[in-house]
Amino acid sequence: MTVKCIRFLSAENVVADITEETSESITIRDAIVAMPIEDGTRVGFAPFAPLQDPAEETLTIPKSMVMYIAAVAPNLEEQYNAMFNRVVVPTKKLIV
């Protein structure tokens, strides 16, 4: 599982799990797009491809449509994993 922030030429900011990457394309799953909400100071998330057939779990996108791929903030990655019910080892270390 490689959760990344992907910025597209269309100016969309997408958080997704990159399942495969080639020199020509990326394949993603569980993609969500960031959208401003309320007064524009907060961000909400919606499905990136809401009309996609749910039976198709991945999308393949040409890299020519991608501006950049970056790591997501740790707290955002935790929220993302919780949204998709993924069990992940906590990033915070506890003193016991």
Side-chain angles (χ1 to χ4, degrees):
M1 173 175 58
T2 306
V3 178
K4 296 288 185 176
C5 175
I6 306 162
R7 174 77 173 199
F8 290 100
L9 294 176
S10 60
E12 291 172 300
N13 289 304
V14 174
V15 176
D17 181 7
I18 297 179
T19 60
E20 184 179 346
E21 185 172 357
T22 68
S23 60
E24 300 290 321
S25 66
I26 58 171
T27 300
I28 61 174
R29 70 176 181 149
D30 297 335
I32 54 176
V33 62
M35 303 174 65
I37 57 172
E38 294 180 7
D39 61 355
T41 60
R42 296 183 40 194
V43 176
F45 294 97
F48 173 60
L51 303 178
Q52 177 183 354
D53 181 351
E56 288 190 36
E57 295 183 358
T58 62
L59 289 169
T60 300
I61 300 163
K63 279 191 172 176
S64 62
M65 301 302 296
V66 175
M67 287 178 67
Y68 63 80
I69 298 173
V72 296
N75 61 336
L76 178 57
E77 186 171 0
E78 289 175 15
Q79 290 176 336
Y80 174 87
N81 287 322
M83 285 175 62
F84 293 101
N85 297 318
R86 295 182 177 161
V87 177
V88 179
V89 177
T91 56
K92 297 177 184 175
K93 297 184 181 192
L94 301 174
I95 298 174
V96 180

